[in-house]
Amino acid sequence: HVQLVESGGGSVQVGGSLNLSCAASLSTYNTYCVGWFRQSPGKGREGLAAIDNDGHTQYADSVKGRFAISQDNAENTVYLQMNSLESDDAATYYCAADSRTSGKCGVSWNWWGNYAFRGQGTQVTVS
C-alpha cells in the first residue's frame, strides 16, 4: 500500500507563491505517474499537472505558466511550485499516484479515477 502525504499548504496573498510537497512511502517514483489535483467547495476536482517517470510533464490550461511540477526521486517527493496565485486558486490540493508499467501518465492524466493512491490533501487559501 502506498501512502502519500501532502504538505506546504497555507495562506498567501494574491500574487504570492507556495511550494507543495507530496512525499510517498514507496521505494521509488520511477514507475509511477504522479498528479496534482485540487477541489474547492461547490466545484469538481480539477487535474492540474502530472509528471511521468522520465520527467515529462503535462498541465491544465488554467495553471500552465504559473505552476510547475517536479520530482526528486532520491527523496521520493513530487513538488508543485505555484506562482502568481489568484483567488480562484484557493482549494484543497491533493497528490495522487498510479503504478504504470511504462511509467507514463498518458492522455488521461487529469482523471482522478485513474490514480490508485491518493493523499489526504493540503489547504491553500489566497486572499
Side-chain angles (χ1 to χ4, degrees):
H1 181 71
V2 175
Q3 287 187 316
L4 303 174
V5 179
E6 303 96 336
S7 62
S11 296
V12 65
Q13 292 185 333
V14 170
S17 298
L18 283 174
N19 190 24
L20 307 183
S21 299
C22 175
S25 63
L26 40 73
S27 60
T28 177
Y29 266 129
N30 280 353
T31 59
Y32 284 77
C33 163
V34 181
W36 279 99
F37 293 78
R38 68 184 178 191
Q39 187 168 23
S40 55
K43 296 184 180 180
R45 187 170 277 114
E46 178 186 13
L48 303 175
I51 188 165
D52 292 349
N53 66 325
D54 62 0
H56 173 68
T57 58
Q58 300 182 76
Y59 295 94
D61 288 343
S62 60
V63 303
K64 196 174 294 183
R66 298 190 300 125
F67 291 10
I69 189 171
S70 61
Q71 62 188 4
D72 183 338
N73 287 331
E75 297 294 329
N76 292 332
T77 301
V78 170
Y79 302 95
L80 185 69
Q81 175 66 44
M82 306 188 297
N83 299 322
S84 302
L85 284 163
E86 305 165 353
S87 56
D88 286 348
D89 293 320
T92 301
Y93 284 69
Y94 302 88
C95 68
D98 194 64
S99 177
R100 306 286 173 83
T101 302
S102 66
K104 307 299 183 184
C105 297
V107 297
S108 57
W109 65 269
N110 57 348
W111 185 34
W112 181 252
N114 274 346
Y115 293 82
F117 308 106
R118 299 134 179 209
Q120 294 300 307
T122 185
Q123 186 71 37
V124 171
T125 303
V126 184
S127 59

